[in-house]
Amino acid sequence: MAIQKRLIISAALSGLLLTAAFPNVGWAFLAWIGMVPILVALQRSELGSGFRLGYLAGLVHFLSLTYWIAHAIATYGGLPWLLAIPILFLLTAYLALFPALFLWILKLSSPGPTVSMVLAPSLWVGLEYLRSVFLTGFPWELLGYSQYRFLSLIQSADIFGVYGISFLLVAANTALALSLCALAKRPWFGRPVPLHKAGLALGAVVLVMMGFLLYGRGRIDTIDQQIARAPHVTVGIIQGNVPQDIKWDKAFAKQTLSRYLGLSQALSPRPDLIVWPETAVPFYFPYDAEFSLELVRGIKTIGTDFIIGSPSVTVLEPDKTLQYHNSVFLISGEGEIVDRYDKSHLVPFGEYVPLRRWLPFLGTIVAQVGDFAAGQPGHVLPWRGHKVGPLICFEMIFPHMSRAQVRNGAKVLVNVTNDAWYGRSSAPHQHFSMAVLRAVENRRALVRSANTGISGFIDPVGRIGKTSDLFVEATLSQPVALLSGLTPYVRWGDFFAWACLVAVSYTHLRAHETTASISYAV
């Protein structure tokens, strides 16, 4: 019973340590050690309890990481807390399967110290990738994102994506767990751990980390030179800070529009492009004629180009069916609509109801769910001889979406969002942290406009420029470099994650062969 209690404490501790590595706590160093308690505890567990320990660690981690989901559902989604909390638990119960599978497969493979240094980080990355794509994906705060402020380390994301950072972190945790077992003279999956093997594991991690850091320093210098030579444009960001509970109240529509136009007019000197957040205008532009005309008149008065978030509607022929989109419009200083991007990765149960045909009752239960149609992935907006890659809300957390836009010629990425749903929780800070990796992976400046914050600028090496506070009106303006060229990550995509999946299959088989050989010899 005492052993079982210690195992449970270790699992819960790992879950909390991993969460504390992310904003708002933001103790990024904990990501280097957060998995050690559960990896050591795994050595004293049975096969089945390994899965349960991983599941417990996952529940603790994801509940403490994404607790804000219940707040968003209850406060703005129109559901009572008695339903919002079970929905949060349902989501985290699904997410917890991934760390549970991680520990279960490790226990099933029972790898030796050397094989563990390959299998553990490869398995973790492979499961992160599956979490990113399975059931439309939810890659919120993968482990590598915790290091978003460690600029020299994250530069390798232009080759490996965020998965390369996750790999290094898990390798470090594994090496430390091996070292603790060696010092305590405890077996590692039933095998003794010589001190020299633990030392070699730590040494390998240090060498790889040094390689990442040396590469990072070199890339920062190279990209800085490219930024200095590149053409620059000045971009303005407007943060309107419109409360979510009045955002769609028609009585406040005129006031909201006046607020955004007034803040835009106040920008001085006048930027080349002004960006408003997701659904900044609380009407269907240009379908609602009265408000749309007022918006166009305001833009003409200001006389610069705008990217504006707005819901839109398309009349489909021949039966005049209406199709709704969550969109951004590029509008010239003359008031002409240049182009439109429709959000292509919609939020399940937020912007549409999955399987509505088979589950019609969901539309009644979740009354605030939108009924949007998806747009074309990878679409870019042509602007003054350049191309802009727009990402609406959580599209920014999916690396393949910005990659597709950069491959289609985008020289700058623009993320518009409305994080008012999350209140003053850690969610807006977490959301912003992931944008840093998009800038590094693609070597593009990223401009982020949020209704209530955090708005700001990120340069192509991941430096965070001017930013806004939460829940204040704000105007920001900053020169932005327009880089071109394709990084290895943009060209090859998630090859590293796929390589990790292949490595898992190979090392899993090798581990089983080794185990079988030992059993035969005995």
Side-chain angles (χ1 to χ4, degrees), residues 51-235:
F51 182 90
R52 292 191 293 272
L53 286 174
Y55 199 76
L56 174 59
L59 277 177
V60 172
H61 172 50
F62 288 114
L63 278 173
S64 56
L65 184 75
T66 63
Y67 66 92
W68 40 264
I69 290 175
H71 171 270
I73 294 172
T75 305
Y76 301 113
L79 290 182
W81 281 96
L82 285 176
L83 281 178
I85 292 175
I87 289 173
L88 170 63
F89 271 89
L90 186 63
L91 174 62
T92 54
Y94 160 70
L95 295 174
L97 288 172
F98 292 93
L101 286 171
F102 171 70
L103 291 187
W104 181 71
I105 294 173
L106 270 185
K107 190 69 176 181
L108 182 65
S109 302
S110 295
T114 303
V115 175
S116 294
M117 289 301 299
V118 177
L119 179 59
S122 296
L123 178 58
W124 184 271
V125 167
L127 289 168
E128 280 194 337
Y129 177 73
L130 293 177
R131 174 156 71 93
S132 301
V133 298
F134 187 60
L135 296 177
T136 78
F138 190 65
W140 190 270
E141 291 292 43
L142 304 180
L143 190 61
Y145 287 122
S146 64
Q147 308 301 303
Y148 76 102
R149 290 190 179 275
F150 197 167
L151 282 187
S152 296
L153 184 74
I154 65 173
Q155 298 307 308
S156 59
D158 68 357
I159 301 176
F160 306 113
V162 66
Y163 300 109
I165 317 302
S166 293
F167 185 97
L168 179 59
L169 290 169
V170 179
N173 277 274
T174 306
L176 288 171
L178 276 168
S179 300
L180 286 178
C181 287
L183 290 170
K185 301 190 184 308
R186 290 182 180 176
W188 180 265
F189 294 113
R191 300 175 178 83
V193 185
L195 275 173
H196 75 275
K197 281 198 172 184
L200 286 173
L202 282 173
V205 169
V206 171
L207 284 175
V208 173
M209 185 177 180
M210 287 178 61
F212 272 49
L213 294 177
L214 288 172
Y215 175 81
R217 290 311 311 166
R219 287 301 285 162
I220 289 173
D221 292 342
T222 300
I223 301 301
D224 278 345
Q225 293 172 18
Q226 294 178 13
I227 291 172
R229 295 193 300 265
H232 285 65
V233 295
T234 302
V235 179

Side-chain angles (χ1 to χ4, degrees), residues 265-413:
Q265 182 72 48
L267 277 172
S268 182
R270 189 78 70 233
D272 301 301
L273 177 68
I274 295 176
V275 182
W276 290 6
E278 176 189 17
T279 59
V281 294
F283 54 85
Y284 287 91
F285 178 79
Y287 189 77
D288 290 336
E290 178 186 353
F291 289 121
S292 297
L293 286 173
E294 186 173 346
L295 171 60
V296 169
R297 282 196 296 267
I299 289 174
K300 285 181 177 179
T301 300
I302 295 168
T304 194
D305 302 336
F306 280 75
I307 287 179
I308 289 173
S310 169
S312 66
V313 60
T314 303
V315 181
L316 302 177
E317 300 294 346
D319 57 356
K320 305 298 183 182
T321 303
L322 298 182
Q323 188 177 78
Y324 300 94
H325 299 276
N326 185 354
S327 306
V328 293
F329 289 84
L330 174 59
I331 306 172
S332 71
E334 292 74 38
E336 300 292 330
I337 297 175
V338 178
D339 201 358
R340 183 183 97 189
Y341 168 76
D342 300 325
K343 188 176 183 182
S344 60
H345 199 300
L346 302 175
V347 181
F349 302 106
E351 292 171 314
Y352 76 105
V353 178
L355 307 175
R356 184 187 289 270
R357 180 183 302 177
W358 295 276
L359 303 171
F361 61 89
L362 287 177
T364 303
I365 294 175
V366 192
Q368 302 300 316
V369 173
D371 192 16
F372 291 112
Q376 179 63 40
H379 183 69
V380 293
L381 303 175
W383 177 66
R384 296 192 185 183
H386 306 292
K387 291 180 179 179
V388 177
L391 300 161
I392 299 178
C393 193
F394 92 143
E395 286 185 324
M396 185 269 298
I397 75 173
F398 295 93
H400 69 277
M401 302 203 68
S402 53
R403 277 185 53 237
Q405 292 175 337
V406 171
R407 289 175 67 91
N408 287 338
K411 292 186 177 180
V412 61
L413 299 173

